[in-house]
Amino acid sequence: LVLELDPELVRLARDELGLRTSTRLEVRTGDARLGIQQLPTDSRDVVIGDAFGGLAVPWHLTTAEFIAQINRVLRPGGAYVLNLIDHPPLAFARAETATLAATFPDAVVIAPPELLDRHRGGNFVLAGGELDIAGIQRRLAARAAPDNAVSGAARERFTGNAPVLTDDYAPVDQLLEPRPTTG
């Protein structure tokens, strides 16, 4: 099941990329936050978050309340995996990691070491659920990926004192703003 906000993107995928829907692949247009509320409890093995408005994930798809809805629809053993982009000081990536870990204690951050060290910006993959973290690390090593998967204390060092995002406090656009530096 794909929840896509933009019907024009669905049309483009059908016309230009050959998207074919069926009983095995359904596409619903509309907001993912509203769409996930309509899904039955324990109905999904995996939920993938890959929503962007420009560089930012829409704020209402970043909060503890949204992640609670995802957790509700996941079957036992399920996982939520999301993609996000951030740049130093990585305030958004760290806050979204803290938010994910508030629901999924075994949350993991997957990124190259220089991103995890907060020296550079780029693409992060976050995952939560009942994860085989050692298995994720083995698969990354087997494909010689430049990425590391960090959880536990290493994830907490990455997160630092970042806030948990909630429906009452999710300033994603401000978190993505670069901080001025002095020379």
Side-chain angles (χ1 to χ4, degrees):
L1 172 65
V2 175
L3 303 174
E4 172 55 50
L5 180 63
D6 186 353
E8 185 60 23
L9 183 60
V10 175
R11 186 203 60 74
L12 180 69
R14 287 183 201 285
D15 295 349
E16 302 296 327
L17 302 175
L19 172 67
R20 301 285 178 252
T21 55
S22 68
T23 57
R24 294 179 47 106
L25 177 61
E26 179 184 352
V27 176
R28 295 181 192 168
T29 55
D31 188 274
R33 176 80 181 246
L34 299 173
I36 199 123
Q37 293 173 359
Q38 307 305 313
L39 298 179
T41 299
D42 296 335
S43 63
R44 304 287 177 230
D45 293 316
V46 176
V47 174
I48 299 174
D50 193 36
F52 289 90
L55 289 179
V57 177
W59 76 268
H60 67 293
L61 303 180
T62 67
T63 66
E65 292 84 353
F66 180 65
I67 293 172
Q69 283 294 315
I70 291 169
N71 190 33
R72 179 188 63 76
V73 304
L74 286 174
R75 290 184 182 110
Y80 175 42
V81 181
L82 69 142
N83 183 35
L84 65 87
I85 299 169
D86 200 0
H87 48 81
L90 306 178
F92 171 55
R94 295 180 318 104
E96 187 63 6
T97 300
T99 305
L100 189 68
T103 297
F104 300 109
D106 289 336
V108 64
V109 181
I110 303 168
E114 59 273 14
L115 272 69
L116 295 168
D117 291 342
R118 302 191 220 172
H119 293 121
R120 207 182 64 162
N123 185 255
F124 293 83
V125 173
L126 309 181
E130 296 180 29
L131 304 173
D132 175 6
I133 295 169
I136 293 169
Q137 292 167 331
R138 281 192 305 276
R139 284 188 290 280
L140 288 170
R143 67 181 183 107
D147 298 322
N148 289 340
V150 297
S151 62
R155 185 201 65 231
E156 290 174 17
R157 279 191 300 280
F158 172 76
T159 304
N161 63 354
V164 170
L165 303 175
T166 67
D167 284 353
D168 292 330
Y169 181 80
V172 172
D173 52 340
Q174 287 94 2
L175 292 171
L176 286 167
E177 286 294 317
R179 304 287 192 272
T181 58
T182 56

